[in-house]
mmCIF file of all heavy atoms in Angstrom:
data_model
loop_
_atom_site.group_PDB
_atom_site.id
_atom_site.type_symbol
_atom_site.label_atom_id
_atom_site.label_comp_id
_atom_site.label_asym_id
_atom_site.label_seq_id
_atom_site.Cartn_x
_atom_site.Cartn_y
_atom_site.Cartn_z
ATOM 1 N N MET A 56 -151.711 -99.890 22.228
ATOM 2 C CA MET A 56 -151.156 -101.233 22.301
ATOM 3 C C MET A 56 -151.636 -102.130 21.095
ATOM 4 O O MET A 56 -152.792 -102.339 20.941
ATOM 5 C CB MET A 56 -151.488 -101.885 23.579
ATOM 6 C CG MET A 56 -150.990 -103.329 23.769
ATOM 7 S SD MET A 56 -151.288 -104.039 25.337
ATOM 8 C CE MET A 56 -152.949 -103.694 25.748
ATOM 9 N N LYS A 57 -150.633 -102.564 20.358
ATOM 10 C CA LYS A 57 -151.000 -103.548 19.274
ATOM 11 C C LYS A 57 -150.893 -105.010 19.864
ATOM 12 O O LYS A 57 -149.746 -105.417 20.150
ATOM 13 C CB LYS A 57 -150.099 -103.457 18.142
ATOM 14 C CG LYS A 57 -150.319 -102.129 17.330
ATOM 15 C CD LYS A 57 -149.425 -102.059 16.039
ATOM 16 C CE LYS A 57 -149.802 -100.784 15.291
ATOM 17 N NZ LYS A 57 -148.892 -100.710 14.030
ATOM 18 N N VAL A 58 -151.971 -105.665 20.179
ATOM 19 C CA VAL A 58 -151.932 -106.912 20.856
ATOM 20 C C VAL A 58 -151.149 -107.986 20.164
ATOM 21 O O VAL A 58 -150.457 -108.696 20.815
ATOM 22 C CB VAL A 58 -153.500 -107.410 20.972
ATOM 23 C CG1 VAL A 58 -153.439 -108.802 21.611
ATOM 24 C CG2 VAL A 58 -154.243 -106.474 21.860
ATOM 25 N N VAL A 59 -151.172 -108.081 18.867
ATOM 26 C CA VAL A 59 -150.383 -109.000 18.132
ATOM 27 C C VAL A 59 -148.944 -108.901 18.332
ATOM 28 O O VAL A 59 -148.183 -109.879 18.295
ATOM 29 C CB VAL A 59 -150.727 -109.026 16.640
ATOM 30 C CG1 VAL A 59 -150.118 -107.790 15.948
ATOM 31 C CG2 VAL A 59 -150.349 -110.214 15.930
ATOM 32 N N VAL A 61 -147.551 -107.507 21.368
ATOM 33 C CA VAL A 61 -147.022 -107.570 22.725
ATOM 34 C C VAL A 61 -147.626 -108.690 23.568
ATOM 35 O O VAL A 61 -147.065 -109.107 24.635
ATOM 36 C CB VAL A 61 -147.334 -106.274 23.512
ATOM 37 C CG1 VAL A 61 -146.740 -105.028 22.824
ATOM 38 C CG2 VAL A 61 -148.876 -106.055 23.577
ATOM 39 N N LEU A 62 -148.682 -109.365 23.034
ATOM 40 C CA LEU A 62 -149.343 -110.501 23.779
ATOM 41 C C LEU A 62 -148.552 -111.719 23.544
ATOM 42 O O LEU A 62 -148.495 -112.351 22.447
ATOM 43 C CB LEU A 62 -150.807 -110.655 23.358
ATOM 44 C CG LEU A 62 -151.513 -111.869 24.026
ATOM 45 C CD1 LEU A 62 -151.453 -111.646 25.569
ATOM 46 C CD2 LEU A 62 -152.878 -111.943 23.533
ATOM 47 N N TYR A 192 -157.066 -114.953 14.572
ATOM 48 C CA TYR A 192 -158.189 -114.141 13.948
ATOM 49 C C TYR A 192 -157.895 -113.791 12.538
ATOM 50 O O TYR A 192 -158.565 -112.858 12.015
ATOM 51 C CB TYR A 192 -158.335 -112.904 14.838
ATOM 52 C CG TYR A 192 -158.775 -113.242 16.296
ATOM 53 C CD1 TYR A 192 -158.076 -112.776 17.398
ATOM 54 C CD2 TYR A 192 -159.953 -113.972 16.488
ATOM 55 C CE1 TYR A 192 -158.446 -113.110 18.686
ATOM 56 C CE2 TYR A 192 -160.424 -114.281 17.784
ATOM 57 C CZ TYR A 192 -159.563 -113.863 18.837
ATOM 58 O OH TYR A 192 -159.985 -114.170 20.120
ATOM 59 N N TRP A 212 -158.553 -114.269 24.775
ATOM 60 C CA TRP A 212 -157.793 -113.066 24.379
ATOM 61 C C TRP A 212 -158.354 -112.429 23.075
ATOM 62 O O TRP A 212 -158.650 -113.209 22.085
ATOM 63 C CB TRP A 212 -156.327 -113.423 24.167
ATOM 64 C CG TRP A 212 -155.624 -113.869 25.409
ATOM 65 C CD1 TRP A 212 -155.293 -115.146 25.781
ATOM 66 C CD2 TRP A 212 -155.240 -113.035 26.469
ATOM 67 N NE1 TRP A 212 -154.667 -115.145 27.017
ATOM 68 C CE2 TRP A 212 -154.626 -113.865 27.461
ATOM 69 C CE3 TRP A 212 -155.379 -111.699 26.705
ATOM 70 C CZ2 TRP A 212 -154.110 -113.388 28.678
ATOM 71 C CZ3 TRP A 212 -154.848 -111.208 27.866
ATOM 72 C CH2 TRP A 212 -154.212 -111.995 28.840
ATOM 73 N N LEU A 213 -158.532 -111.182 23.128
ATOM 74 C CA LEU A 213 -159.167 -110.458 21.959
ATOM 75 C C LEU A 213 -158.048 -110.032 20.987
ATOM 76 O O LEU A 213 -156.856 -110.019 21.287
ATOM 77 C CB LEU A 213 -159.871 -109.226 22.512
ATOM 78 C CG LEU A 213 -160.940 -109.504 23.480
ATOM 79 C CD1 LEU A 213 -161.561 -108.100 24.065
ATOM 80 C CD2 LEU A 213 -162.064 -110.246 22.798
ATOM 81 N N SER A 214 -158.430 -109.749 19.792
ATOM 82 C CA SER A 214 -157.537 -109.342 18.737
ATOM 83 C C SER A 214 -156.995 -107.906 19.013
ATOM 84 O O SER A 214 -155.971 -107.592 18.539
ATOM 85 C CB SER A 214 -158.204 -109.362 17.395
ATOM 86 O OG SER A 214 -159.280 -108.371 17.317
ATOM 87 N N GLN A 215 -157.816 -107.114 19.794
ATOM 88 C CA GLN A 215 -157.389 -105.775 20.119
ATOM 89 C C GLN A 215 -157.982 -105.329 21.404
ATOM 90 O O GLN A 215 -159.071 -105.952 21.821
ATOM 91 C CB GLN A 215 -157.607 -104.782 18.989
ATOM 92 C CG GLN A 215 -159.182 -104.607 18.762
ATOM 93 C CD GLN A 215 -159.502 -103.623 17.698
ATOM 94 O OE1 GLN A 215 -159.054 -103.654 16.514
ATOM 95 N NE2 GLN A 215 -160.206 -102.521 17.955
ATOM 96 N N VAL A 216 -157.575 -104.337 22.006
ATOM 97 C CA VAL A 216 -158.258 -103.659 23.145
ATOM 98 C C VAL A 216 -159.529 -103.053 22.563
ATOM 99 O O VAL A 216 -159.461 -102.425 21.569
ATOM 100 C CB VAL A 216 -157.398 -102.606 23.823
ATOM 101 C CG1 VAL A 216 -158.263 -101.884 24.922
ATOM 102 C CG2 VAL A 216 -156.141 -103.240 24.384
ATOM 103 N N PRO A 217 -160.665 -103.293 23.214
ATOM 104 C CA PRO A 217 -161.894 -102.747 22.655
ATOM 105 C C PRO A 217 -161.821 -101.186 22.517
ATOM 106 O O PRO A 217 -161.065 -100.486 23.303
ATOM 107 C CB PRO A 217 -163.043 -103.093 23.723
ATOM 108 C CG PRO A 217 -162.443 -104.307 24.422
ATOM 109 C CD PRO A 217 -160.967 -104.065 24.352
ATOM 110 N N ASN A 218 -162.525 -100.619 21.548
ATOM 111 C CA ASN A 218 -162.550 -99.123 21.383
ATOM 112 C C ASN A 218 -163.499 -98.589 22.414
ATOM 113 O O ASN A 218 -164.722 -98.724 22.232
ATOM 114 C CB ASN A 218 -162.976 -98.808 19.967
ATOM 115 C CG ASN A 218 -161.986 -99.302 18.879
ATOM 116 O OD1 ASN A 218 -160.775 -99.056 19.084
ATOM 117 N ND2 ASN A 218 -162.431 -99.805 17.823
ATOM 118 N N LEU A 219 -162.991 -97.910 23.312
ATOM 119 C CA LEU A 219 -163.866 -97.392 24.437
ATOM 120 C C LEU A 219 -164.132 -95.915 24.122
ATOM 121 O O LEU A 219 -163.187 -95.139 23.859
ATOM 122 C CB LEU A 219 -163.098 -97.513 25.817
ATOM 123 C CG LEU A 219 -162.599 -98.974 26.133
ATOM 124 C CD1 LEU A 219 -162.066 -98.900 27.544
ATOM 125 C CD2 LEU A 219 -163.825 -99.912 26.128
ATOM 126 N N GLU A 221 -165.659 -94.199 26.553
ATOM 127 C CA GLU A 221 -165.470 -93.506 27.907
ATOM 128 C C GLU A 221 -164.329 -94.194 28.554
ATOM 129 O O GLU A 221 -163.953 -95.348 28.336
ATOM 130 C CB GLU A 221 -166.716 -93.722 28.744
ATOM 131 C CG GLU A 221 -167.946 -92.980 28.266
ATOM 132 C CD GLU A 221 -169.083 -93.355 29.220
ATOM 133 O OE1 GLU A 221 -169.169 -92.759 30.334
ATOM 134 O OE2 GLU A 221 -169.950 -94.257 28.929
ATOM 135 N N ASN A 223 -162.244 -96.086 31.320
ATOM 136 C CA ASN A 223 -162.589 -97.116 32.335
ATOM 137 C C ASN A 223 -161.761 -96.719 33.546
ATOM 138 O O ASN A 223 -160.865 -97.557 34.001
ATOM 139 C CB ASN A 223 -162.065 -98.506 31.753
ATOM 140 C CG ASN A 223 -162.709 -99.654 32.566
ATOM 141 O OD1 ASN A 223 -163.609 -99.521 33.343
ATOM 142 N ND2 ASN A 223 -162.171 -100.786 32.348
ATOM 143 N N ILE A 227 -158.637 -101.932 34.959
ATOM 144 C CA ILE A 227 -157.848 -102.301 33.871
ATOM 145 C C ILE A 227 -158.627 -103.439 33.124
ATOM 146 O O ILE A 227 -158.150 -104.022 32.092
ATOM 147 C CB ILE A 227 -156.479 -102.891 34.272
ATOM 148 C CG1 ILE A 227 -156.541 -104.117 35.179
ATOM 149 C CG2 ILE A 227 -155.684 -101.840 34.900
ATOM 150 C CD1 ILE A 227 -155.312 -104.895 35.442
ATOM 151 N N TYR A 228 -159.923 -103.705 33.511
ATOM 152 C CA TYR A 228 -160.698 -104.680 32.850
ATOM 153 C C TYR A 228 -162.162 -104.280 33.221
ATOM 154 O O TYR A 228 -162.451 -103.273 33.860
ATOM 155 C CB TYR A 228 -160.357 -106.165 33.393
ATOM 156 C CG TYR A 228 -161.014 -107.183 32.696
ATOM 157 C CD1 TYR A 228 -160.899 -107.383 31.321
ATOM 158 C CD2 TYR A 228 -161.927 -108.198 33.336
ATOM 159 C CE1 TYR A 228 -161.564 -108.398 30.603
ATOM 160 C CE2 TYR A 228 -162.417 -109.180 32.665
ATOM 161 C CZ TYR A 228 -162.300 -109.351 31.326
ATOM 162 O OH TYR A 228 -162.953 -110.344 30.670
ATOM 163 N N VAL A 237 -168.367 -99.472 28.464
ATOM 164 C CA VAL A 237 -167.112 -100.302 28.439
ATOM 165 C C VAL A 237 -167.549 -101.754 28.356
ATOM 166 O O VAL A 237 -166.972 -102.502 27.543
ATOM 167 C CB VAL A 237 -166.365 -100.080 29.766
ATOM 168 C CG1 VAL A 237 -165.248 -101.038 29.938
ATOM 169 C CG2 VAL A 237 -165.795 -98.643 29.743
ATOM 170 N N ALA A 240 -168.623 -102.462 24.806
ATOM 171 C CA ALA A 240 -167.578 -102.478 23.865
ATOM 172 C C ALA A 240 -166.707 -103.757 23.974
ATOM 173 O O ALA A 240 -166.277 -104.313 22.943
ATOM 174 C CB ALA A 240 -166.630 -101.295 24.111
ATOM 175 N N TYR A 241 -166.612 -104.289 25.201
ATOM 176 C CA TYR A 241 -165.884 -105.560 25.382
ATOM 177 C C TYR A 241 -166.611 -106.780 24.669
ATOM 178 O O TYR A 241 -166.076 -107.514 23.992
ATOM 179 C CB TYR A 241 -165.675 -105.815 26.827
ATOM 180 C CG TYR A 241 -164.244 -105.517 27.349
ATOM 181 C CD1 TYR A 241 -164.081 -104.234 27.996
ATOM 182 C CD2 TYR A 241 -163.174 -106.321 27.340
ATOM 183 C CE1 TYR A 241 -162.832 -103.811 28.480
ATOM 184 C CE2 TYR A 241 -161.943 -106.025 27.831
ATOM 185 C CZ TYR A 241 -161.796 -104.759 28.371
ATOM 186 O OH TYR A 241 -160.563 -104.444 28.848
ATOM 187 N N LYS A 243 -168.904 -106.542 22.283
ATOM 188 C CA LYS A 243 -168.882 -106.279 20.837
ATOM 189 C C LYS A 243 -167.560 -106.686 20.116
ATOM 190 O O LYS A 243 -167.576 -107.356 19.179
ATOM 191 C CB LYS A 243 -169.084 -104.721 20.607
ATOM 192 C CG LYS A 243 -169.265 -104.425 19.129
ATOM 193 C CD LYS A 243 -169.454 -102.937 18.911
ATOM 194 C CE LYS A 243 -169.446 -102.599 17.390
ATOM 195 N NZ LYS A 243 -169.765 -101.137 17.295
ATOM 196 N N GLN A 244 -166.459 -106.500 20.850
ATOM 197 C CA GLN A 244 -165.191 -106.989 20.231
ATOM 198 C C GLN A 244 -165.128 -108.464 20.349
ATOM 199 O O GLN A 244 -164.634 -109.074 19.411
ATOM 200 C CB GLN A 244 -164.058 -106.313 21.010
ATOM 201 C CG GLN A 244 -162.604 -106.641 20.512
ATOM 202 C CD GLN A 244 -162.530 -106.051 19.086
ATOM 203 O OE1 GLN A 244 -162.674 -104.816 18.950
ATOM 204 N NE2 GLN A 244 -162.005 -106.872 18.241
ATOM 205 N N TYR A 245 -165.593 -109.085 21.455
ATOM 206 C CA TYR A 245 -165.513 -110.545 21.544
ATOM 207 C C TYR A 245 -166.408 -111.129 20.517
ATOM 208 O O TYR A 245 -165.987 -112.187 19.850
ATOM 209 C CB TYR A 245 -166.016 -111.013 22.981
ATOM 210 C CG TYR A 245 -166.152 -112.480 22.968
ATOM 211 C CD1 TYR A 245 -165.014 -113.303 23.032
ATOM 212 C CD2 TYR A 245 -167.445 -113.056 23.025
ATOM 213 C CE1 TYR A 245 -165.220 -114.641 23.089
ATOM 214 C CE2 TYR A 245 -167.578 -114.413 23.030
ATOM 215 C CZ TYR A 245 -166.395 -115.250 23.041
ATOM 216 O OH TYR A 245 -166.525 -116.602 23.113
ATOM 217 N N LYS A 247 -167.293 -110.009 17.655
ATOM 218 C CA LYS A 247 -166.641 -109.856 16.325
ATOM 219 C C LYS A 247 -165.514 -110.889 16.155
ATOM 220 O O LYS A 247 -165.419 -111.549 15.076
ATOM 221 C CB LYS A 247 -166.118 -108.455 16.197
ATOM 222 C CG LYS A 247 -165.346 -108.118 14.882
ATOM 223 C CD LYS A 247 -164.817 -106.727 14.859
ATOM 224 C CE LYS A 247 -163.934 -106.521 13.628
ATOM 225 N NZ LYS A 247 -163.343 -105.122 13.626
ATOM 226 N N ASP A 248 -164.623 -110.950 17.122
ATOM 227 C CA ASP A 248 -163.419 -111.780 17.118
ATOM 228 C C ASP A 248 -163.889 -113.240 17.041
ATOM 229 O O ASP A 248 -163.289 -114.020 16.182
ATOM 230 C CB ASP A 248 -162.541 -111.562 18.299
ATOM 231 C CG ASP A 248 -161.701 -110.255 18.250
ATOM 232 O OD1 ASP A 248 -161.698 -109.696 17.170
ATOM 233 O OD2 ASP A 248 -161.181 -109.966 19.240
ATOM 234 N N ASP A 309 -155.585 -95.588 33.966
ATOM 235 C CA ASP A 309 -156.899 -95.305 33.311
ATOM 236 C C ASP A 309 -156.961 -95.639 31.815
ATOM 237 O O ASP A 309 -157.964 -96.038 31.313
ATOM 238 C CB ASP A 309 -157.243 -93.831 33.513
ATOM 239 C CG ASP A 309 -157.508 -93.553 34.937
ATOM 240 O OD1 ASP A 309 -157.738 -94.414 35.776
ATOM 241 O OD2 ASP A 309 -157.596 -92.297 35.323
ATOM 242 N N SER A 310 -155.834 -95.635 31.222
ATOM 243 C CA SER A 310 -155.728 -95.851 29.723
ATOM 244 C C SER A 310 -155.353 -97.314 29.431
ATOM 245 O O SER A 310 -155.126 -97.600 28.166
ATOM 246 C CB SER A 310 -154.866 -94.863 29.061
ATOM 247 O OG SER A 310 -153.511 -94.936 29.490
ATOM 248 N N PHE A 311 -155.128 -98.068 30.386
ATOM 249 C CA PHE A 311 -154.628 -99.471 30.170
ATOM 250 C C PHE A 311 -155.783 -100.423 30.362
ATOM 251 O O PHE A 311 -156.437 -100.483 31.412
ATOM 252 C CB PHE A 311 -153.552 -99.849 31.107
ATOM 253 C CG PHE A 311 -152.997 -101.187 30.965
ATOM 254 C CD1 PHE A 311 -152.207 -101.585 29.960
ATOM 255 C CD2 PHE A 311 -153.311 -102.183 31.979
ATOM 256 C CE1 PHE A 311 -151.740 -102.946 29.803
ATOM 257 C CE2 PHE A 311 -152.786 -103.557 31.754
ATOM 258 C CZ PHE A 311 -152.060 -103.855 30.709
ATOM 259 N N ASN A 312 -156.036 -101.270 29.409
ATOM 260 C CA ASN A 312 -157.245 -102.240 29.484
ATOM 261 C C ASN A 312 -156.764 -103.580 28.985
ATOM 262 O O ASN A 312 -156.229 -103.696 27.971
ATOM 263 C CB ASN A 312 -158.423 -101.762 28.715
ATOM 264 C CG ASN A 312 -159.093 -100.538 29.454
ATOM 265 O OD1 ASN A 312 -159.698 -100.656 30.451
ATOM 266 N ND2 ASN A 312 -158.794 -99.393 28.853
ATOM 267 N N ILE A 313 -157.063 -104.675 29.682
ATOM 268 C CA ILE A 313 -156.629 -106.008 29.427
ATOM 269 C C ILE A 313 -157.473 -106.443 28.138
ATOM 270 O O ILE A 313 -158.779 -106.422 28.247
ATOM 271 C CB ILE A 313 -156.886 -106.955 30.572
ATOM 272 C CG1 ILE A 313 -155.943 -106.556 31.741
ATOM 273 C CG2 ILE A 313 -156.672 -108.425 30.135
ATOM 274 C CD1 ILE A 313 -154.449 -106.886 31.495
ATOM 275 N N PRO A 314 -156.882 -106.880 27.094
ATOM 276 C CA PRO A 314 -157.635 -107.379 25.918
ATOM 277 C C PRO A 314 -158.183 -108.812 26.040
ATOM 278 O O PRO A 314 -157.717 -109.746 25.351
ATOM 279 C CB PRO A 314 -156.573 -107.251 24.776
ATOM 280 C CG PRO A 314 -155.298 -107.509 25.445
ATOM 281 C CD PRO A 314 -155.448 -106.931 26.849
ATOM 282 N N GLN A 315 -159.108 -108.969 26.899
ATOM 283 C CA GLN A 315 -159.636 -110.245 27.170
ATOM 284 C C GLN A 315 -161.199 -110.219 27.428
ATOM 285 O O GLN A 315 -161.616 -109.191 27.942
ATOM 286 C CB GLN A 315 -158.967 -110.877 28.422
ATOM 287 C CG GLN A 315 -159.291 -112.276 28.707
ATOM 288 C CD GLN A 315 -158.496 -112.835 29.955
ATOM 289 O OE1 GLN A 315 -159.126 -112.817 31.063
ATOM 290 N NE2 GLN A 315 -157.316 -113.210 29.797
ATOM 291 N N TYR A 316 -161.843 -111.254 27.021
ATOM 292 C CA TYR A 316 -163.297 -111.355 27.406
ATOM 293 C C TYR A 316 -163.621 -112.762 27.820
ATOM 294 O O TYR A 316 -163.251 -113.770 27.079
ATOM 295 C CB TYR A 316 -164.169 -110.923 26.169
ATOM 296 C CG TYR A 316 -165.622 -110.823 26.565
ATOM 297 C CD1 TYR A 316 -166.167 -109.714 27.100
ATOM 298 C CD2 TYR A 316 -166.473 -111.934 26.377
ATOM 299 C CE1 TYR A 316 -167.495 -109.630 27.480
ATOM 300 C CE2 TYR A 316 -167.777 -111.874 26.633
ATOM 301 C CZ TYR A 316 -168.287 -110.641 27.225
ATOM 302 O OH TYR A 316 -169.627 -110.623 27.642
ATOM 303 N N LEU A 373 -147.696 -107.599 28.577
ATOM 304 C CA LEU A 373 -148.740 -106.570 28.404
ATOM 305 C C LEU A 373 -148.435 -105.382 29.343
ATOM 306 O O LEU A 373 -148.457 -104.231 28.912
ATOM 307 C CB LEU A 373 -150.149 -107.063 28.732
ATOM 308 C CG LEU A 373 -150.751 -108.111 27.807
ATOM 309 C CD1 LEU A 373 -152.031 -108.634 28.307
ATOM 310 C CD2 LEU A 373 -150.987 -107.582 26.391
ATOM 311 N N SER A 376 -145.520 -103.118 28.343
ATOM 312 C CA SER A 376 -145.785 -102.289 27.229
ATOM 313 C C SER A 376 -146.424 -100.991 27.582
ATOM 314 O O SER A 376 -146.430 -99.976 26.803
ATOM 315 C CB SER A 376 -146.737 -102.964 26.248
ATOM 316 O OG SER A 376 -148.100 -102.982 26.724
ATOM 317 N N GLN A 377 -146.888 -100.848 28.854
ATOM 318 C CA GLN A 377 -147.534 -99.644 29.370
ATOM 319 C C GLN A 377 -146.847 -98.993 30.563
ATOM 320 O O GLN A 377 -146.809 -97.737 30.597
ATOM 321 C CB GLN A 377 -149.000 -100.053 29.767
ATOM 322 C CG GLN A 377 -149.846 -98.886 30.331
ATOM 323 C CD GLN A 377 -150.395 -97.931 29.286
ATOM 324 O OE1 GLN A 377 -150.037 -98.124 28.096
ATOM 325 N NE2 GLN A 377 -151.234 -97.032 29.691
#
Side-chain angles (χ1 to χ4, degrees):
M56 172 173 51
K57 292 185 178 181
V58 172
V59 72
V61 299
L62 178 60
Y192 296 122
W212 293 106
L213 301 172
S214 66
Q215 64 177 61
V216 175
N218 293 317
L219 305 183
E221 295 178 79
N223 194 16
I227 62 171
Y228 189 57
V237 170
Y241 263 93
K243 184 179 179 181
Q244 186 64 50
Y245 172 72
K247 176 184 176 183
D248 284 347
D309 292 345
S310 61
F311 179 74
N312 291 283
I313 296 291
Q315 188 180 97
Y316 187 84
L373 293 172
S376 73
Q377 177 79 354

